[in-house]
Amino acid sequence: MEKEITIKSTTGLHASLAAKVVQTASKYSVEIELHYGEKIVDLKSILALMSLAVPQGQNVKIVARGSRAEEAIKDVSSILG
């Protein structure tokens, strides 16, 4: 399952936002990734997520696999988008 969203935070994907995303993604026993351009990172890794430095207004894709993939994507996208 996947969903494309636009980063709405005026400061982009910054440290505190990344921490919230990682905390939320870690609640689910699914594989969940963020795709940005050519890069793909694990949404349960704060270092990997912050390394992307996604600015405001950029489109990203959340991809999840597992029994609760839809729920995980919904929760994570509500934080980012």
Side-chain angles (χ1 to χ4, degrees):
M1 169 156 280
E2 59 186 57
K3 180 176 183 180
E4 190 166 314
I5 61 167
T6 301
I7 301 295
K8 296 201 174 165
S9 171
T10 57
T11 54
L13 190 50
H14 55 80
S16 62
L17 183 59
K20 288 179 190 175
V21 169
V22 170
Q23 185 178 31
T24 301
S26 296
K27 291 181 192 176
Y28 298 96
S29 58
V30 298
E31 290 180 44
I32 187 164
E33 303 167 336
L34 187 80
H35 296 224
Y36 176 59
E38 299 288 320
K39 299 177 183 176
I40 300 171
V41 299
D42 182 352
L43 274 179
K44 296 180 182 180
S45 168
I46 193 161
L47 292 176
L49 189 56
M50 289 186 60
S51 74
L52 294 177
V54 183
Q56 177 191 24
Q58 292 297 303
N59 291 331
V60 296
K61 184 167 46 173
I62 302 168
V63 178
R65 291 173 287 286
S67 62
R68 297 179 67 197
E70 185 175 354
E71 189 178 351
I73 288 175
K74 182 178 177 184
D75 280 356
V76 169
S77 63
S78 71
I79 296 168
L80 291 173

